[in-house]
Amino acid sequence: MADNGPDILVYGADWCPDCDRIKRQLIDCGRDFRYVNIETDAAAAERAVELAGGRRVLPVVVSGDTVLVNPPAAELCGRLRLRSTGREGQVFDCIIVGGGPTGLAAAIYATRERFTTLVLEKMVVGGQILTTAQVENYPGFPEPISGADLTDRLATQAKRFGAEVRERTEVTRIESQGDLFVVHAAEGEPVAGRTVILAPGSQYRHLGVPGEKEFTGYGVSYCGTCDAPFYRDKHVVAVGGGNTAVDEGLHLLKFVQRLTIVQNREHLTATPFLVEELGKHGDRVEVLGRTSVVRIEGVAGERVTGVVLKELDSGRERPLACDGVFVWIGMTPNTEFLRGTVELDEGGFIRASNASMETAVRGLFAAGDCRSGSQKQIATAAGEGVAAALFASEYIRTQKTALV
């Protein structure tokens, strides 16, 4: 935050609404301050009483030689020469970054705990699931439901419980300020929260070839667990040769008649066990090494009919008829803005507890596809969002900062 003057020290307690008011005002004015909780610091409690002239009144604000005891907004601004934006600040109990199934599930549970909850989504709610034409493996839906419809239900439910959802709000930075988190966005004023749940998700790496975008949801897929049943007794092409590609390919073989794996390396790079399991399926599986997909073809708005392959050594291209294309060449988490804020693994995924979803930063949680070790499934992502919300509520209650 901006350095606009001398350091400000705020003596307060987590149960004190006026302490919250002062912190909100300082944040709104862009001023750095240090918050001291007298409940956990006996010496600070005595010092606060001394500074307040023997009175036991909170908060006590100290800036240089200036001491203010529970000052009204106008006095705080005047004595400390604060430049207010004129906006009524609010401290949310829970700020959720990301409006996909993870973030919306977290919002449902956070609001049902009667916590003020804000969801910030950089595009529109739904995230990656919006590209899924039909979701068949989400519990409670015996008939397939579109990704858009499932998103709409989750968002409606979260809003019904009282969550505030702001779309097209791209978070650029998160910082700790006293016992609060300040969340900065590309546009608009920063917002403050007692806890933050990170659920920005991740995105599948794409081939970047003609037809891929056009046929996504109409034969191009990135999730075998989600979409394999749609290709029963069909021929599909899978791109990629690592553990994910082979493991998902084995799942596909429970449904498809024939699987062609295309990869740019000479041999599969998956673990020997997975490769051996793949070999048990005999001529139902064909592996094409040193080959790439250069084009996906089909009937626009209906289905994929085939791909064009390129042999990398000879440069020769040839068509291959198929009913679907699965792309498994990795995922990229949407976490670049978090570097320096939380610990990321070598792939850029957030390191957080498998149980509580909490990161190494107290009060900061991560859930869903952005989290290192997540299963990258809609149902598990939503479940992680629920867990994060419940553990965030425990953290808030421990800090005695909820609902003041």
Side-chain angles (χ1 to χ4, degrees), residues 141-183:
F141 292 88
E143 297 298 325
I145 183 173
S146 72
D149 286 343
L150 181 57
T151 293
D152 184 62
R153 294 189 184 202
L154 289 169
T156 299
Q157 191 174 7
K159 292 176 182 177
R160 180 169 67 85
F161 286 124
E164 179 181 344
V165 179
R166 299 180 189 176
E167 296 181 305
R168 303 195 181 280
T169 303
E170 182 178 2
V171 173
T172 58
R173 181 164 53 98
I174 298 172
E175 61 180 351
S176 297
Q177 183 69 45
D179 61 340
L180 302 177
F181 293 99
V182 180
V183 181

Side-chain angles (χ1 to χ4, degrees), residues 202-222:
S202 61
Q203 50 191 321
Y204 294 108
R205 291 178 187 164
H206 292 182
L207 296 172
V209 301
E212 181 179 19
K213 183 177 180 181
E214 178 184 1
F215 290 105
T216 294
Y218 296 95
V220 173
S221 176
Y222 303 87

Side-chain angles (χ1 to χ4, degrees), residues 141-366:
F141 292 88
E143 297 298 325
I145 183 173
S146 72
D149 286 343
L150 181 57
T151 293
D152 184 62
R153 294 189 184 202
L154 289 169
T156 299
Q157 191 174 7
K159 292 176 182 177
R160 180 169 67 85
F161 286 124
E164 179 181 344
V165 179
R166 299 180 189 176
E167 296 181 305
R168 303 195 181 280
T169 303
E170 182 178 2
V171 173
T172 58
R173 181 164 53 98
I174 298 172
E175 61 180 351
S176 297
Q177 183 69 45
D179 61 340
L180 302 177
F181 293 99
V182 180
V183 181
H184 299 261
E187 297 182 2
E189 297 291 334
V191 290
R194 296 183 174 87
T195 61
V196 172
I197 296 176
L198 301 170
S202 61
Q203 50 191 321
Y204 294 108
R205 291 178 187 164
H206 292 182
L207 296 172
V209 301
E212 181 179 19
K213 183 177 180 181
E214 178 184 1
F215 290 105
T216 294
Y218 296 95
V220 173
S221 176
Y222 303 87
C223 179
T225 307
C226 308
D227 298 335
F230 297 117
Y231 298 90
R232 195 179 300 275
D233 300 325
K234 303 289 186 181
H235 171 215
V236 299
V237 168
V239 184
N243 284 339
T244 298
V246 175
D247 191 40
E248 291 269 31
L250 288 168
H251 179 74
L252 283 178
L253 286 165
K254 297 175 183 177
F255 301 90
V256 305
Q257 180 183 18
R258 182 179 162 211
L259 172 66
T260 300
I261 297 179
V262 176
Q263 64 157 11
N264 55 15
R265 298 191 181 186
E266 187 71 33
H267 303 288
L268 295 173
T269 58
T271 60
F273 171 77
L274 289 175
V275 174
E276 290 172 9
E277 289 297 306
L278 193 67
K280 294 177 181 179
H281 293 272
D283 58 7
R284 291 180 60 206
V285 179
E286 181 181 15
V287 179
L288 302 177
R290 298 290 298 156
T291 304
S292 65
V293 172
V294 295
R295 189 165 67 253
I296 299 172
E297 300 178 329
V299 180
E302 292 187 20
R303 67 187 187 281
V304 164
T305 58
V307 297
V308 175
L309 302 177
K310 180 179 180 179
E311 297 175 357
L312 298 182
D313 293 329
S314 67
R316 184 172 68 92
E317 294 186 2
R318 65 181 178 90
L320 176 67
C322 66
D323 302 292
V325 179
F326 286 79
V327 181
W328 294 312
I329 55 176
M331 299 187 76
T332 302
N334 301 318
T335 58
E336 191 61 34
F337 71 100
L338 293 169
R339 292 195 179 276
T341 302
V342 293
E343 184 182 358
L344 306 178
D345 68 11
E346 59 279 3
F349 294 90
I350 303 169
R351 294 189 188 277
S353 166
N354 288 329
S356 68
M357 307 295 138
E358 190 169 25
T359 69
V361 180
R362 291 282 289 144
L364 189 59
F365 301 80

Side-chain angles (χ1 to χ4, degrees), residues 70-141:
N70 194 18
E75 181 183 359
L76 186 70
C77 285
R79 295 289 299 278
L80 300 187
R81 292 181 294 179
L82 301 179
R83 185 174 299 173
S84 176
T85 62
R87 176 178 56 86
E88 181 65 28
Q90 178 180 6
V91 173
F92 290 91
D93 291 312
C94 183
I95 296 176
I96 299 168
V97 181
T102 305
L104 293 174
I108 291 168
Y109 272 73
T111 51
R112 290 191 76 236
E113 292 287 317
R114 296 185 61 235
F115 295 143
T116 53
T117 303
L118 173 66
V119 179
L120 302 176
E121 166 57 47
K122 72 174 182 179
M123 297 300 289
V124 296
V125 292
Q128 192 171 266
I129 192 179
L130 293 178
T131 65
T132 303
Q134 288 188 303
V135 177
E136 195 177 53
N137 59 341
Y138 194 83
F141 292 88

